Amino acid sequence: DTVLTQSPALAVSPGERVTISCRASESVSTLMHWYQQKPGQQPKLLIYKASNLASGVPARFSGSGSGTDFTFTIDPVEADDIATYYCHQSWNSPPTFGGGTKLELK
Amino acid sequence: EVQLVESGGGLVQPGRSMKLSCAASGFTFSDYYMAWVRQAPKKGLEWVASISYEGSSTYYGDSVKGRFTISRDNAKSTLYLQMNSLRSEDTATYYCARDPAWFAYWGQGTLVTVSS
């Protein structure tokens, strides 16, 4: 299975720029997607196919990358963005998720 | 507005069975693959199974293969997950999600607790 590796946690302040990385154990082309999950809620799609903004998602969120290295950026961070962010690949079977990066306030 | 509403979760003893349902609305159900994704308490997301438009093709994660069955009823716009031989490690919130490739829409989830 394709293993996706994310940093477990990041501390941020509102107004800052934050970048979350996701490294795949093998190429996933550009079929990497990003989700936001707040406590007690279902995940929400933010970015699909590496760099495409999902419908209704603010332009503060962006994604880039291809192959094995991907980044997800929030610029600027708002207090409401405190959540856990997951990457997800669907190029290789089975689809797999990263372990999640929890954004915390400094 | 796309809505996915799961039901059928609860407490079940190890070795027993349970069937989850997901009622879909706001889109043409038969035009989309559908999937189940689960999340154990305080853990990450795990893809469980996916099903093609008419249900002719199904796909499973290794941890549930042979025990779980995904199915759909397009006339009722409903997705199902039949779970047999349940184990404690199947304890999780189960989400249905609209496939393929990326999960654009998710239900609110239904909690399945496997315990004696």
Side-chain angles (χ1 to χ4, degrees), chain A residues 33 35 37 42-43 86 88 90, chain B residues 39 47 95 101-103 106-107:
Chain A
H33 325 293
Y35 303 85
Q37 187 179 34
Q42 68 269 52
Y86 293 93
H88 156 226
S90 58
Chain B
Q39 185 171 36
W47 170 78
Y95 297 100
W102 56 90
F103 303 123
W106 299 64

Side-chain angles (χ1 to χ4, degrees), chain B residues 10 108 110:
Chain B
Q108 84 289 349
T110 187

Side-chain angles (χ1 to χ4, degrees), chain A:
Chain A
D1 296 3
T2 304
V3 176
L4 302 180
T5 302
Q6 298 180 242
S7 299
L10 283 173
V12 298
S13 297
E16 288 183 346
R17 180 178 188 268
V18 64
T19 297
I20 297 172
S21 66
C22 179
R23 175 161 287 178
S25 61
E26 58 187 324
S27 177
V28 301
S29 185
T30 57
L31 283 185
M32 182 68 79
H33 325 293
W34 293 90
Y35 303 85
Q36 176 192 66
Q37 187 179 34
K38 296 180 179 179
Q41 296 185 16
Q42 68 269 52
K44 174 186 176 183
L45 177 70
L46 299 181
I47 300 288
Y48 65 96
K49 287 200 297 182
S51 60
N52 294 274
L53 204 60
S55 177
V57 174
R60 303 184 291 105
F61 299 94
S62 63
S64 64
S66 65
T68 61
D69 290 297
F70 297 83
T71 57
F72 170 79
T73 300
I74 311 173
D75 187 15
V77 170
E78 296 184 359
D80 189 52
D81 299 335
I82 298 305
T84 300
Y85 293 84
Y86 293 93
C87 56
H88 156 226
Q89 70 81 23
S90 58
W91 179 253
N92 300 310
S93 183
T96 51
F97 291 88
T101 298
K102 187 174 183 180
L103 277 193
E104 301 167 328
L105 281 176
K106 277 184 186 172

Side-chain angles (χ1 to χ4, degrees), chain B residues 4-18:
Chain B
L4 299 170
V5 180
E6 302 93 337
S7 59
L11 177 64
V12 61
Q13 292 180 328
R16 303 297 292 264
S17 299
M18 177 174 277

